[in-house]
Amino acid sequence: RSGRQVQLGIHVRRGDEDKVDHAMACLKRAMRWDEEAFGLEYDLDIFNIAAVSDFNMGAMENKGLNIFNTALVLARPDTATDADYQRIDRVIAHEYFHNWTGDRVTCRDWFQLSLKEGLTVFRDQEYGAATTDAALSRIDDVKMLRARQFAEDAGPLAHPVRPAAYRKIDNFYTATVYEKGAEVVRMIRTIIGHEAFRRGFDRYIARNDNSAATIEDFVAAMREESGFDFSQFMRWYEQAGTPQLRFEGEYDAAARRYTLTLRQMTAPTPGQAHKEPFLIPVAMGLIGPDGAELEARLEGEADAHRGTRVLLLRAAEQRFVFEEVAAPPVPSLLRGFSAPVKLSGHDAAGLAHLAAHDTDGFSRWEAGQEYATRALLDAIAALQRGEAVATDPALVAAMAAALDLAQEAPALAARILSLPGKDVLADRMAVIDPDAIHEALETTRAAIGRSLRDRFTALCGAEDPSAPFSLDPASMGRRALGNVALAYLMAADPAAGLDAAQRRFETAPTMTGRLGALALLADTATPARDAALAAFHARWRGDALVSDKWFRIQAMAAAPDTLDRVEALTRHADFDLRNPNRFRALVQAFGAGNQRWFHDASGRGYALVARMIGEVDRVNRQIAARCIDVFASWQRFDPARQMLMRGALDALLADPALSANAREMAERARAGS
Ligand code: ASP
Ligand code: ZN
């Protein structure tokens, strides 16, 4: 912006020079965006990135010389998936943004970690939304938050965004400090608006430049520019746990009045038995019976208007009265996911209405996912009663409607067609039943696949080998859709699906298509799987990052022989527990990503992971400590699994040589919540 020349460098091993173009393009885009969106220019005339293959974190923002894990730099269409490309973009931007939020303004002490991490994640999310597709990128960020942070906040490792105590700060590089921290910053902006937020941000930087700041300094700058009193809001930094938000609506046709009652409740977390109400910004609108947004006048407003407004819920229970409402509305609440809470209160008809008509893209997707989640929870309950699963015809119809979007909005179609993950379903169950979750998903996928079989068949061969490689949302969307369609086809018709998967594996021009097919093949105990895995290994064993994918896919497989195979892979010549990426690809991926086999009733999965944690602890205590969280959910399972999971933690704790890092995590996980 000022005309300063900056020399940019990315340093990689000889041989990897052809895999840095994407990272360099991302770096330039991030530098430009920070000037435009936040008025922040780079302050030196040199900026370097060094990529290393053995690194515990994703990257580190050392001033002027960012250190990166190779996994977050190197990409070529035949070696990296679209998800890898997107992750690289976000992390390159994240570390670059730390130059101001982290380096020029740093943290006074480690309790303030979220001051730089929550804020910088927020900034990289905003960058992602502005440079790709805002609704899609919000969907992906919220999915991640729910999968990782909500689980953390619901168990014994729950801690506030600003932890009150720690033994090893290494153990607090968590989804709560990072992702929930970013949501807290986002709520501040939602409450005071974009303009006041930007002025507050400028004031924060100007005031604290070249010094070490606190979360209070950040919030004070926001208060001074907006006049808003954040005292109650500060509870988001001090109280752990995900609030439950419940609503009730009542329409009085004669008075044309709609009364919305909101209630919040937050369960106790370790060390915090009692919670005070949070200040929750609820971005919302009212959708009429015809699907159009309704006009309304909220008590205190001068005129009626339609569109999104932000309600501030302060009390445990609060009523909001809307006048001049012409028809009974379905409320669209938490638009854009305006607060990190769990919402309930919609009936199935309301969800279906929002999924079809909400004017907010995120909320349309959200309503569809919630509808599917409930259908799957019903299926799980039926299986547990020993009954057959009847797939809801409305769910099939919603998936057919999503397929209608395949041409014009393939990325959104792929996200709508992706059934809720096992973690989402587990989160909603009083006692997690991994076998029923797996079966309900498979049965439902097969039923949808059979109903829409021809349309899925047409989509799974869709990658055109002659088309130039592109990362625009539509191209990535088509690749994602191809993989989702293949999953439905395999569930509906295993023989035809296997053929299609082999074809996609052999002919797809990108790693996204090839790996998508390989992951589905890996779920089957078939000669086709063995042949594909062998071919992939032979082709890529010299490339560490692609070999990680080979390990990860097998670690996450649903195939019945998975436990034996993962055991064998821990002794494979290419497995090396001194390499953090390789350990994560096999052990962490298995523990965190293979709900079915990690939680096998025999306890073999638990024993395997506990043994590997013990081994890796001798060479890398940070990695060992981080992996322990796979046992933290033990209270959510049946008594037999609980005993086995606690036993695994006890076995670790019984080792006198266990590192302080791993001990802190094992003790916290063992203590329960
Ligand atoms: N500060 C780094 C980051 O969030 C992580 C680390 O400390 O290595 O990007
Ligand atoms: Zn960071």
Side-chain angles (χ1 to χ4, degrees), residues 57 59-61 91 94-95 98 101-102 113 116-118 120-121 124 173 178:
M57 306 292 275
M60 179 64 210
E61 68 265 23
V91 179
H94 178 100
E95 303 309 328
H98 268 317
T101 50
L113 187 56
K116 76 178 175 84
E117 295 305 347
T120 306
V121 171
D124 85 54
Y173 283 74
Y178 277 65

